Amino acid sequence: MPPSAPSWFSLAGRVAFVPGGYGGIRAAGGGGPRRPPGPPGGGGAAPGTSPPISPAIRAKAEALAAALRAEGHDALGLSMDAHHVADIRRAVDAVARHFGHLDLLVNCIGIQREQRLADVSEEAFDEVVDVNLKAAMFLAQAAAVHQVAAVAAGRAPGRQVHVLSVRAQLGMHDRGYSAYCASKGALVMLIKQHAVELCAHGITVNGVAPTVVRGEMGAHWLANPE
């Protein structure tokens, strides 16, 4: 008998790290990472903060983890500065150490510094690329170390998913999106490259490209009826 559809999509016993997972896309989607309640250590979710790390942002990640624990899930809230590779590696290692393994990376980190072409600053461009692209590279690398080792130890292959944007393929009319579109477009190719490198271990790498999400990031122009 082939496996049932629920078993194909089951996250039972799987550990997910969801950096940026406390934010607007998760809220618009109606929920955070989930797993069926089970014994301690049987699986879990670790929502992490995206930059900049402030007490308020750190509190969001910790509040989401607390809410998940209240529902019977195993969850850890932690902070991570996506500007710094060393801190990215520390956070990924902390998740794997806390839960005993790391199966899923769901990278929800992303920022925008809206500036029209004539006004783009080097500082703003570099920050968008650092957070949207460079952080994705080193999150993927750090997670892959644990995922490849897990496959070698006999665990089911892991998964990596990055949140893209339709701006990975489409410019934004009459808006200052140079850095954002460039970073998301480059992320598409990074995903493809990682997919062909990790497929030998059975690990899949994909991107999900939503369009408008009713959250804080787009609130200023969603409020404009024109």
Side-chain angles (χ1 to χ4, degrees), residues 9 29-31 47 54-56 84-85 100 102 120 125 131 140 173 175-176 179 182 197 205 214:
F9 296 101
S54 69
H84 299 291
V85 172
L102 174 62
V120 173
F125 190 91
V131 173
H173 178 68
R175 308 295 302 196
E197 290 194 40
V205 186
R214 291 191 178 277

Side-chain angles (χ1 to χ4, degrees), residues 5 19-20 46 48 53 65 67 83 140 142 163 179 198 218:
I53 297 176
H83 295 86
V163 175
L198 292 176

Side-chain angles (χ1 to χ4, degrees), residues 65-89:
L68 290 171
R69 289 193 296 269
E71 294 176 8
H73 308 299
D74 193 1
L76 170 70
L78 52 82
S79 60
M80 180 191 80
D81 189 343
H83 295 86
H84 299 291
V85 172
D87 207 49
I88 289 170
R89 290 171 174 160

Side-chain angles (χ1 to χ4, degrees), residues 6 8 11 17 38-39 42 45 61 65 80 108 116 129 142-143 151 154 160 164 167-168 176 180 183 195 209 215 217:
W8 292 341
L11 297 179
F17 181 35
M80 180 191 80
C108 299
R116 290 183 179 271
V129 171
V151 171
Q160 296 191 5
L164 289 164
R167 301 304 148 201
Y180 188 84
S183 66
M217 191 171 177

Side-chain angles (χ1 to χ4, degrees), residues 170-182:
L170 300 170
M172 174 65 85
H173 178 68
D174 201 31
R175 308 295 302 196
Y177 268 58
S178 293
Y180 188 84
C181 290

